[in-house]
Amino acid sequence: PVNAVGPINLTAGAATPLTITTQPSATVANTAVFPVQPAIQLRDAGGNAVSQQNVQIIAAIASGGGTLTGGTANTNANGVATFAGLSITGLLGTRTLTFTSGALTAVTSTGININAAGPATTMAISAGNNQSAAVGTTVPVDPAVRVTDVSGNPVSGRSVTFAVASGGGIVAPTTAIATNASGIATVTSWTLGAAAGTNTLTATSATPAPALNQVTFTATGTQVITGSMWVANFDAPSIGIYPVNASGNATPTATIEGSNTGFNQPDGVARDPSGNLYVSDFTLSSISVFAPGATGNATPTRVIVGGNTGLTAPVGMAFDAAGNLYVSNETGGSGSGSVTVYGPSANGNAAPIRTLTSIIDFPSGIAIGAGDTLYVVNQGNSVMAFAPGASGAANPVRTIRGPNTLFDEPEGIAFDAAGNIWVVNLLANSLLRFDRAADGDVAPTVVVSGSNTGLAGAIGLTRAGNELFVANYNNGIGNVLVFSTGASGNAAPTRTLTGGLVGPFWVAF
């Protein structure tokens, strides 16, 4: 006979794997608590639920990156751990979570897509800062800000208000602008005030609370140059005086020429803060000074000339804040040029107050930058910057030189309103722009070159307002080309002056 046995009660074995009974939310916003929190069940090897209390389950991000908050939970009496407060902080995209507990077999969730930014935390400038434009005109790039959450995700629909803070300009619109899907809010226009100088524009965002950090845009209003320009005619010899907006075959309003002027081959021209006109003569190694308004067969009020002056084929001229005159001397052999400096009232056979001789290779254009930093263009393919007061064999603080610079006998130099450095190439027929802090073998940030430019034998370079004036000299035939400081590539000049020019070398205002 078969012996009968009583009922057998099977109970769950020891917990082995973890299983997910409730998957976390499929879509969430960055930093937001999941609307649906995951639940994890302990199970034995046969898949039976294991009722074991106070087993800690740890959640972690398995893929997608970011920071997980609320990542631990303990099982209840039924062996179920239900999380509360789980959230992910990170960039938009899909993540998965893994759940572990000691030696138990881990389990991974389905995808969780962070599809929306969290609350806005930061506002930063996106475009349109540190610009320049003529007074009373709009800046070329409309100011814009970008609003992001704590992870850098763009926040759309945030209200941003722009307002003029200084300079007296106008911004449009004056009402709040909502950020777009990229978190960007952009003004329609910013018109600078009527006075030359600094203009500022602020952007604020206070709704919803808390308010974001205020940001400030800066722009420089440049005075539109009116009146006259002076052009040195190397082969005439004379100085032609034209309206600043002269174009085409224009007749000069006046000239400075005749036996009293003492000109032989005038090449450089510059005007001091009082309006006196300085003319460098290449052949005579002299600097002649003419009173404001001088025309015709005028006699200079002063002439710096003689063996003590150190002048040898002078070319470029510039003035520092104290009114001292800086002159580049081209002759002296390769590496033997110089820059001589004279006091504001220097006259006759006056010795320079100091002389710079630092391996200057056929210097041409010179300019005084911010803080009286001296910039010297060497036809030997470099631009050197010297500290204020440099003399003797002082080392430059920066030197722009090397094949990436695209220099090919550079001549003239000028700064735009933003402080960028412009250099004109004689042999390459090009106009180059470098960052204000450029140093070493750096490429220009802008190159103006090509058949449309009309550049051919370019020597002199001068800026007035937002325009660059280039003097082209080519065997006695030449012109003055005018480019916007925003020109780039194979850009045509905005106008060309041809009338009455005989070998133009330099332009002054």
Side-chain angles (χ1 to χ4, degrees):
V2 177
N3 294 324
V5 296
I8 301 173
N9 182 28
L10 295 177
T11 60
T16 302
L18 302 177
T19 59
I20 300 175
T21 55
T22 302
Q23 291 284 351
S25 300
T27 57
V28 296
N30 184 40
T31 74
V33 173
F34 297 173
V36 178
Q37 295 285 317
I40 310 300
Q41 173 71 64
L42 302 179
R43 295 191 187 277
D44 65 11
N48 301 296
V50 176
S51 299
Q52 185 176 348
Q53 194 170 10
N54 291 326
V55 175
Q56 186 180 63
I57 310 296
I58 299 174
I61 295 175
S63 65
T67 301
L68 183 68
T69 302
T72 60
N74 292 333
T75 58
N76 58 19
N78 295 320
V80 176
T82 301
F83 285 80
L86 268 183
S87 66
I88 295 176
T89 301
L91 297 176
L92 303 184
T94 300
R95 276 79 172 165
T96 57
L97 300 182
T98 183
F99 298 92
T100 60
S101 180
L104 301 183
T105 303
V107 65
T108 301
S109 73
T110 54
I112 305 165
N113 183 31
I114 300 179
N115 67 345
T121 59
T122 305
M123 182 167 61
I125 291 174
S126 174
N129 194 26
N130 293 325
Q131 300 186 76
S132 65
V135 294
T137 66
T138 57
V139 294
V141 178
D142 294 329
V145 296
R146 184 171 187 261
V147 177
T148 56
D149 69 7
V150 68
S151 302
N153 297 305
V155 178
S156 62
R158 180 82 188 198
S159 293
V160 179
T161 301
F162 294 84
V164 171
S166 69
I170 301 171
V171 66
T174 56
T175 54
I177 302 170
T179 55
N180 61 19
S182 298
I184 304 292
T186 308
V187 304
T188 303
S189 64
W190 181 20
T191 303
L192 303 184
T198 301
N199 291 245
T200 56
L201 179 74
T202 60
T204 56
S205 181
T207 304
L212 302 182
N213 55 292
Q214 175 180 293
V215 298
T216 302
F217 297 83
T218 299
T220 301
T222 57
Q223 187 65 53
V224 177
I225 301 298
T226 59
S228 300
M229 65 175 170
W230 286 255
V231 184
N233 289 305
F234 187 79
D235 291 334
S238 65
I239 306 297
I241 306 173
Y242 299 84
V244 71
N245 59 354
S247 181
N249 190 23
T251 301
T253 56
T255 61
I256 303 175
E257 61 182 329
S259 58
N260 290 340
T261 65
F263 293 153
N264 188 302
Q265 287 185 313
D267 52 358
V269 284
R271 296 181 76 223
D272 69 11
S274 298
N276 296 297
L277 178 69
Y278 287 66
V279 180
S280 61
D281 196 293
F282 188 85
T283 304
L284 299 179
S285 291
S286 65
I287 306 293
S288 297
V289 185
F290 294 87
T295 61
N297 190 17
T299 300
T301 59
R302 289 181 285 127
V303 179
I304 306 172
V305 64
N308 291 334
T309 65
L311 294 170
T312 54
V315 184
M317 294 178 289
F319 298 93
D320 65 16
N324 296 310
L325 170 67
Y326 293 66
V327 182
S328 63
N329 295 286
E330 182 177 313
T331 299
S334 179
S336 300
S338 65
V339 173
T340 46
V341 186
Y342 307 89
S345 59
N347 190 22
N349 193 16
I353 58 178
R354 62 179 182 274
T355 300
L356 185 64
T357 58
S358 307
I359 314 179
I360 300 175
D361 195 9
F362 296 111
S364 181
I366 59 175
I368 304 294
D372 275 352
T373 300
L374 171 66
Y375 290 76
V376 181
V377 178
N378 294 305
Q379 295 173 47
N381 295 334
S382 70
V383 173
M384 305 163 111
F386 294 90
S391 65
N395 292 322
V397 294
R398 296 194 306 277
T399 300
I400 308 173
R401 176 172 51 205
N404 289 323
T405 65
L406 305 183
F407 287 153
D408 194 357
E409 195 168 320
E411 293 278 353
I413 184 172
F415 307 106
D416 61 23
N420 296 304
I421 304 165
W422 288 86
V423 179
V424 69
N425 267 329
L426 174 67
L427 298 184
N429 297 322
S430 60
L431 187 58
L432 313 175
R433 191 187 79 183
F434 296 88
D435 182 80
R436 61 193 304 169
D439 189 18
D441 186 14
V442 295
T445 55
V446 170
V447 177
V448 180
S449 177
S451 58
N452 291 338
T453 67
L455 292 166
I459 295 179
L461 178 61
T462 309
R463 176 183 70 91
N466 289 321
E467 294 183 316
L468 296 166
F469 292 73
V470 181
N472 270 338
Y473 173 83
N474 191 355
N475 294 324
I477 301 171
N479 52 32
V480 174
L481 308 176
V482 185
F483 296 90
S484 163
T485 53
S488 180
N490 191 15
T494 57
R495 62 184 182 277
T496 301
L497 173 64
T498 58
L501 300 176
V502 186
F505 252 59
W506 231 270
V507 179
F509 293 91

